[in-house]
Amino acid sequence: MTIAGVPFEVPAGTTLQQLCDTHSTPVVFGCRAAQCGACVIRVTSGKEHLSPPGDDEMNVLDVLGVDLDHRLACQCTVFGDVSLEVAE
């Protein structure tokens, strides 16, 4: 997986929260519960290798007005090769 151009080896089933808690990444977390939107990321490739978004995540993304390439990092589990960047 790649975050903002930096590669990481991530075992399948790792959450992005776990990865960001153990490595220095530019992803910022707030509530960690799909409520604040601080951890919005844009998936540039491999979105099929992330867990599907739940209702709470979809509600926050809708309020933020972002497109379907965006996710909340606090809600994603990685199952394969993914590239992402921090959304602005």
Side-chain angles (χ1 to χ4, degrees):
M1 108 163 278
T2 304
I3 301 175
V6 177
F8 294 92
E9 290 293 324
V10 181
T14 301
T15 67
L16 286 179
Q17 259 187 32
Q18 291 169 324
L19 171 70
C20 295
D21 283 348
T22 58
H23 295 82
S24 178
T25 72
V27 180
V28 176
F29 290 95
C31 68
R32 297 175 174 251
Q35 295 179 5
C36 72
C39 64
V40 175
I41 54 172
R42 187 172 76 84
V43 182
T44 57
S45 69
K47 69 179 174 180
E48 68 274 11
H49 298 293
L50 292 175
S51 56
D55 291 341
D56 290 341
E57 180 179 5
M58 291 301 293
N59 289 338
V60 171
L61 294 173
D62 186 50
V63 167
L64 295 174
V66 296
D67 63 30
L68 296 176
D69 289 337
H70 290 77
R71 296 288 309 270
L72 297 179
C74 71
Q75 299 300 297
C76 295
T77 300
V78 179
F79 294 104
D81 195 26
V82 178
S83 293
L84 58 90
E85 56 191 33
V86 176
E88 295 183 20

